[in-house]
Amino acid sequence: MSAEPVPTSPGPWCPDPTRQQRADYTLEDLLGLPDDAPRVELVDGVIQVTPSPTLGHQDISLLLSRWLLQHAPSDLRVAQAVGVGLSFTTSRQPDVLLRRSGLAANRSLLRPEDVILAVEIVSPGTRRTDRIAKPGEYAAAAIPFYWRIEQNPVHLYAYRIGDRVGPGGERQYELITESADVIELTEPFELKLPIAEITP
């Protein structure tokens, strides 16, 4: 009498190495990822697994989300870590975003025109991406506003799409204001945000 073989798990999902080398993943592929796939972003056809955020990062994200929920007008909704398809081969997940209301609740990938504000909270491992790559991609996709939040101490930089054009013909962000104390803006809505209220 022989024992039945014990079924083994094929292991956690990971991107196909051949497709990664060819850089031919698309937004459609992201929608078909299995439920056990890690949090990923798609950059020029290559799937990148995003690192787990720190507690400090998540505290700021939650505090800002709560503040926006309490102060944003009713035609805007807050979301965290939802994918935004910036092009056919690029998708990012802002840490926090303001989107238009009225979108279907089952959406997991937004269009740039759905997003009013994208926010990134800078961590040691994401400095270059959050300071250079993502704002360039968000601006090229015509997301009107971008906020970058630095930690230790918490400092918010608020940008909006300007008339300046980059070397590739894409529009770029211009800095509206920055502060470690209070941010006052008239866009994307009239607000006065004390930085202490988003500081853990």
Side-chain angles (χ1 to χ4, degrees):
M1 180 172 148
S2 62
E4 290 288 323
V6 177
T8 57
S9 169
W13 177 90
C14 62
D16 180 276
T18 304
R19 294 198 65 190
Q20 289 283 81
Q21 286 182 337
R22 290 195 314 243
D24 70 354
Y25 277 105
T26 67
L27 295 181
E28 189 174 326
D29 293 312
L30 287 189
L31 295 172
L33 291 181
D35 292 339
D36 67 341
R39 181 180 170 196
V40 298
E41 293 181 323
L42 179 64
V43 182
D44 295 327
V46 176
I47 290 181
Q48 296 180 351
V49 176
T50 59
S52 296
T54 63
L55 289 175
H57 177 287
Q58 290 302 83
D59 285 344
I60 294 169
S61 178
L62 289 168
L63 289 168
L64 176 62
S65 295
R66 185 176 70 183
W67 193 93
L68 289 170
L69 278 167
Q70 293 170 346
H71 295 88
S74 60
D75 62 334
L76 297 177
R77 297 283 185 270
V78 182
Q80 292 180 291
V82 174
V84 181
L86 303 174
S87 73
F88 185 63
T89 58
T90 298
S91 172
R92 293 290 195 177
Q93 291 188 10
D95 293 318
V96 178
L97 62 79
L98 275 179
R99 62 168 177 84
R100 299 182 194 283
S101 62
L103 301 179
N106 65 350
R107 295 269 303 275
S108 61
L109 188 64
L110 303 181
R111 300 165 304 177
E113 56 267 30
D114 299 327
V115 180
I116 302 300
L117 165 69
V119 182
E120 295 293 348
I121 300 160
V122 179
S123 297
T126 64
R127 287 188 185 113
R128 183 171 179 79
T129 303
D130 293 338
R131 293 175 183 166
I132 300 170
K134 287 187 176 182
E137 293 164 357
Y138 295 151
I143 293 174
F145 299 96
Y146 174 70
W147 290 358
R148 188 184 88 237
I149 300 176
E150 300 284 343
Q151 302 184 60
N152 305 316
V154 176
H155 196 114
L156 193 153
Y157 296 81
Y159 301 84
R160 74 168 164 228
I161 284 282
D163 295 325
R164 195 175 66 188
V165 177
E170 70 283 352
R171 292 171 68 189
Q172 297 182 321
Y173 286 121
E174 59 185 20
L175 182 66
I176 309 168
T177 188
E178 50 88 13
S179 180
D181 297 313
V182 178
I183 291 289
E184 293 190 61
L185 294 167
T186 58
E187 299 175 298
F189 61 93
E190 193 162 339
L191 65 90
K192 184 175 182 178
L193 167 58
I195 300 302
E197 294 191 17
I198 63 167
T199 300

